[in-house]
Amino acid sequence: MKQISNKEYEKYQQYQTDKLHGRVLTPDGLRIVCAGLDNDPEKIGIHMLEMLAKFTLIANSIGVYFTMNAGIEKHITHTYLLLGEKPKKERMAIRTEMEEVPEDESMILVATGG
């Protein structure tokens, strides 16, 4: 029988914890999301980006490190969600805030059309 390393075991434990707390999107969960959005790719994409932004904002507020798809860990200092349906004044305020971010700090923007 193959033995797993401590690191692999820790990753598995983290996966179990994430699954228990609803932080893992299962195939069934994805099917429910898609069905709820009439299997419309544009609606699904917008919904996923909005959820990513909300989760990113929550995680950013507690100073969590993110692991990107490439496996590079970065600390995201500033996170912004720019929704097209928001009032122009609110969108402009977000843009102004973004312009004030120092160049040596990281920033992420998730933007969707209105």
Side-chain angles (χ1 to χ4, degrees):
M1 180 185 262
K2 182 181 176 193
Q3 298 289 322
I4 64 171
S5 68
N6 286 342
K7 188 174 183 176
E8 290 172 320
Y9 181 73
E10 288 170 10
K11 284 184 179 183
Y12 177 74
Q13 290 295 96
Q14 183 62 48
Y15 166 76
Q16 292 291 4
T17 301
D18 289 343
K19 186 176 175 185
L20 179 66
H21 291 91
R23 294 186 292 250
V24 175
L25 182 60
T26 63
D28 287 338
L30 182 58
R31 282 188 206 95
I32 290 169
V33 170
C34 293
L37 297 168
D38 301 322
N39 292 315
D40 180 332
E42 188 173 334
K43 288 180 185 176
I44 294 166
I46 290 170
H47 177 75
M48 292 298 188
L49 287 173
E50 288 173 350
M51 291 299 101
L52 173 64
K54 287 179 184 176
F55 295 144
T56 302
L57 287 169
I58 292 166
N60 190 35
S61 69
I62 58 173
V64 172
Y65 283 87
F66 296 90
T67 302
M68 304 301 186
N69 290 337
I72 300 169
E73 291 185 345
K74 290 186 178 182
H75 180 71
I76 299 175
T77 312
H78 304 276
T79 308
Y80 299 97
L81 173 59
L82 191 59
L83 303 174
E85 73 243 11
K86 296 289 183 184
K88 185 174 182 178
K89 187 175 183 178
E90 189 174 323
R91 294 191 319 260
M92 292 303 292
I94 292 171
R95 288 186 192 117
T96 302
E97 258 186 74
M98 290 173 58
E99 290 172 1
E100 294 172 0
V101 173
E103 287 187 26
D104 62 335
E105 294 181 13
S106 58
M107 171 176 54
I108 186 169
L109 167 66
V110 177
T112 63

